[in-house]
Amino acid sequence: MDEFERHGIAVVSGRDACARALRSAGLTSDPGGGSPSVLLRDGDDHTRVRAVLREIIAGLEPFPAALQAAIEATVAGLGMSFDLVRDFARPVAGAVTSAVLGVPLDDVFLDHLEATTANLDVFGGADRAGQASAFRLAVQLSRTPAGPGGLTALRKAHAAGRLDEDELVINAVVLAHAVYENSLNFLACAGLELATSGPRTVRELVAAVCPARYVLRFGPDGPVAISLADGLPFGLGRHACPGSGVALAEAEIALTALAKHLGGGCEVRDVRWKTHAVFHGLDSAQVVVSGKAG
Ligand code: HEM
């Protein structure tokens, strides 16, 4: 029995059943309570907020050359011994998140962003530290001067009457979290696969890793957890990931650079996993590169 079933939440698995559930008109993403988050609503309000976010994400399509160069430089500078999460996945995911929002993000911001994962606690959201982190980020972003990019675009959408005040404040954090958390977990897990099992395509890796393991929906009989592990890593239907193109481009660049860096082979030690029920990722993994002069 998995964690969902222990909490009385029905689980849908198997690709066809999951695809049907994700497209079902009888299941909603809205748990009630009127959240302004794009993830937790359906209908016209969802379509309206999602359209604004989609326009922002399109700003990174095609993937900007300067961002590609920054990622490649980060990976090239990894050295002979490094942590896959702290030194590889985190700076890459942080740079992409910063580029999406159009604001610089420091380590304190990224720490709080990682802490908000707990705030997405699907079993009741009692994690006060996670909620405090999300709140802090919302306040911080609302006060941050922004250049061209997502935060400015959100503010313009608000000024134009396309988003209300709550939608502006919350979806800045939701967007940052969507970019960062899934990229972080995917890059670290894919990096581990690369280091231990050899080359695979990014599409194969994202299906194998499946960094967001479940999505929650609500039906007449209560909540349902739909598994994405059977070949649906970006979901499907109304809420399907609008950033999948950016995620794949980012991973292609970072993992190609990592494969080059690991060229002569490597050893991986001290692999530690996160334990979140939805977000599948590494806590840390130490890589020691062999076959290069020290
Ligand atoms: C490997 C990396 C990623 C994975 C596995 C992933 C996965 C997902 C999944 C499964 C959903 C659907 C949630 C649901 O149905 O309730 C989603 C939603 C979303 N993702 Fe991604 N994502 C990734 C990266 C990104 C990136 C890089 C961006 C932005 C550039 C992004 C932006 C979003 C947004 C805004 C949503 C909300 C869409 C909505 O509710 O309509 N994601 N993502």
Side-chain angles (χ1 to χ4, degrees), residues 12 15-28 217 224 226 236 238:
V12 182
R15 198 182 191 285
D16 292 349
C18 291
R20 268 197 307 278
L22 288 165
R23 292 197 164 113
S24 164
L27 293 174
T28 173
R217 296 294 187 262
V224 179
I226 304 170
L236 212 63
R238 305 182 288 282

Side-chain angles (χ1 to χ4, degrees), residues 44-45 61 84 91 120 163 171 180 186 249 252 292:
D44 292 347
D45 287 339
E61 296 164 343
L84 262 178
L120 301 179
L163 298 177
N171 287 293
Y180 182 71
F186 177 44
E252 184 75 48
K292 283 189 183 177

Side-chain angles (χ1 to χ4, degrees), residues 38-39 46 50 178-179 182 211 215 217 228 233-234 239 241-243 247:
V38 69
L39 281 162
H46 167 252
R50 183 177 163 102
V179 182
N182 286 317
V215 291
R217 296 294 187 262
L228 302 180
F234 292 109
H239 289 267
C241 179

Side-chain angles (χ1 to χ4, degrees), residues 196-210:
T196 53
S197 320
R200 282 161 93 182
T201 68
V202 169
R203 276 189 186 278
E204 281 168 351
L205 283 167
V206 78
V209 170
C210 194

